[in-house]
């Protein structure tokens, strides 16, 4: 984002506008935190602002300030399409390929609004007029903080905005431990605490919100964990039957893949989750080394993401997907040496 881009965006925001903010499908803490933080800022400037999410998000995020104002596309297609068509400006946050919005893609593609992309994923598409893309950033929430600094709006960050931004930085950095966490990230977080983000309360709301069933599902996942020593790789599977047995709810499997990565010497961790209704297996890839899971997900499983965290999908059965995965690993034996 150039100085001139910032000047133009400031001018755009000088008059009241209709603004829509869109995060990716299956929104996580960073997607919701960045969207609602920006929502509060723009609303404070007097703009008509709406956050529209492609589908629902986990209950551990349903306390975020502004949560009640969020429109879920899946349940309000007509209203959402009208808002998108009428928008002067559309911010797309925490993704960089329009197909990451699922069913919203056609409406976003045909919208005449000025699009502004803010995101930290690899290999952005070129659909927006203004692009703030930085793959070195811990989170889109950290980028929203820097964006507000560029707009000379850091003093507008109140406790609501600070809390939203804190959530996204906390969740996308695995509570400030992933390698994307820099000293700048910590300085940003320190300022958010000074501005009213209650760090302990937020950690409790997000992480100490488990149902008994969620923990039983975690037990099942850990029971299914397999370690492939030759490849320093571990994977977890969850079948539809297992999800049903523990009354799976959105968000219940979030973070489970990190247990596979926590096995000593494991560099590459994967979780395969069967979604029978959609006839697909959703896959999460993680690494804690130079092994590039973004490339792996793109090449073999129709996905993408970051070097150390990516997602993908397979339309084969759960068993066939795992067989395919295991058959690919020998190609990477050298990359996965300790
Ligand atoms: P998760 O495994 O938690 O779903 O996703 C890990 C990271 O990869 C996130 O940053 C997410 O946005 C990205 N990601 C997940 N699934 C996909 C996908 O299908 N395509 C792309 N390009 N990125 C994905
Ligand atoms: Mn993110």
């Amino acid at each position: 984002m150039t100085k001139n881009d910032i000047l133009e965006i400031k001018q755009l925001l000088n008059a009241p506008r209709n603004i829509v903010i869109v995060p990716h499908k299956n929104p996580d803490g960073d997607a919701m935190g960045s969207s609602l933080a920006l929502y509060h800022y723009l609303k404070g400037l007097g703009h008509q602002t709406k956050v529209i999410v492609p589908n629902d998000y986990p209950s551990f995020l349903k306390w975020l300030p502004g949560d009640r104002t969020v429109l879920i596309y899946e349940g309000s297609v007509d209203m959402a399409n009208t808002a998108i068509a009428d928008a002067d400006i559309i911010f797309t946050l925490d993704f960089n390929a329009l197909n990451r919005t699922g069913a919203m893609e056609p409406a976003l593609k045909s919208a005449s609004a000025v699009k502004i992309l803010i995101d930290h994923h690899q290999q952005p598409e070129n659909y927006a007029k203004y692009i703030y893309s930085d793959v070195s950033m811990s989170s889109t929430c950290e980028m929203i903080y820097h964006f507000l600094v560029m707009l000379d709006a850091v003093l507008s960050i109140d406790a609501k905005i600070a809390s939203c931004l804190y959530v996204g930085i906390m969740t996308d950095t695995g509570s400030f431990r992933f390698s994307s966490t820099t000293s700048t990230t910590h300085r940003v977080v320190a300022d958010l605490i000074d501005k009213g983000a209650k760090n302990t309360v937020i950690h409790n709301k997000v992480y100490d919100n488990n149902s008994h069933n969620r923990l039983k599902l975690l037990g099942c996942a850990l029971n299914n964990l397999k370690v492939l020593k030759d490849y320093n790789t571990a994977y977890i599977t969850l079948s539809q039957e297992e999800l049903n047995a523990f009354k799976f709810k959105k968000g219940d499997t979030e973070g489970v893949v990190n247990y596979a990565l926590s096995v000593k010497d494991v560099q590459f961790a994967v979780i395969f989750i069967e979604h029978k209704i959609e006839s697909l297996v959703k896959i999460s890839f993680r690494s804690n080394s130079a092994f590039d899971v973004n490339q792996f997900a793109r090449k073999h499983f129709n996905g993408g993401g970051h070097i150390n965290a990516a997602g993908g999908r397979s339309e084969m059965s759960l068993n066939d997907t795992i067989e395919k995965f295991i058959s690919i690993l020998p190609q990477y034996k050298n990359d996965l040496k300790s």
Side-chain angles (χ1 to χ4, degrees), residues 189-207:
V189 165
D191 194 36
L192 296 177
I193 293 173
D194 285 343
K195 289 180 160 48
K198 299 211 170 343
N199 49 319
T200 305
V201 172
I202 292 174
H203 278 261
N204 288 344
K205 281 187 167 160
V206 173
Y207 294 118

Side-chain angles (χ1 to χ4, degrees), residues 27-44:
D28 57 6
D30 192 31
M32 291 314 300
S34 57
S35 296
L36 284 169
L38 188 60
Y39 163 83
H40 290 297
Y41 170 66
L42 295 170
K43 210 173 139 242

Side-chain angles (χ1 to χ4, degrees), residues 24 94 100 121 282-286 298 302-306 309-313:
H24 57 78
D94 202 33
R100 296 277 289 125
H121 292 87
K282 178 84 184 85
I283 314 169
S284 291
F285 302 95
R286 299 290 186 271
R298 270 175 202 272
N302 199 20
H306 315 272
R313 60 186 52 227

Side-chain angles (χ1 to χ4, degrees), residues 33-100:
S34 57
S35 296
L36 284 169
L38 188 60
Y39 163 83
H40 290 297
Y41 170 66
L42 295 170
K43 210 173 139 242
L45 291 183
H47 301 291
Q48 279 286 343
T49 309
K50 195 93 207 142
V51 175
I52 307 180
V53 298
N55 60 347
D56 204 1
Y57 51 97
S59 64
F60 61 77
L61 297 172
K62 293 231 159 146
W63 59 272
L64 282 168
D67 163 60
R68 299 245 166 106
T69 67
V70 172
L71 189 64
I72 299 175
Y73 188 82
E74 265 182 5
S76 317
V77 173
D78 291 342
M79 199 198 288
N81 281 343
T82 306
I84 291 167
D86 289 349
D88 303 308
I89 305 171
I90 298 177
F91 283 90
T92 72
L93 302 187
D94 202 33
F95 69 89
N96 60 27
L98 278 182
N99 68 8
R100 296 277 289 125

Side-chain angles (χ1 to χ4, degrees), residues 161-211:
I161 296 177
S163 302
C164 292
L165 293 180
Y166 189 96
V167 167
I169 299 176
M170 175 187 84
T171 53
D172 257 31
T173 59
S175 296
F176 320 110
R177 69 196 183 100
F178 297 155
S179 59
S180 57
T181 313
T182 62
S183 58
T184 302
T185 313
H186 280 285
R187 278 185 207 101
V188 168
V189 165
D191 194 36
L192 296 177
I193 293 173
D194 285 343
K195 289 180 160 48
K198 299 211 170 343
N199 49 319
T200 305
V201 172
I202 292 174
H203 278 261
N204 288 344
K205 281 187 167 160
V206 173
Y207 294 118
D208 298 339
N209 184 28
N210 289 319
S211 65

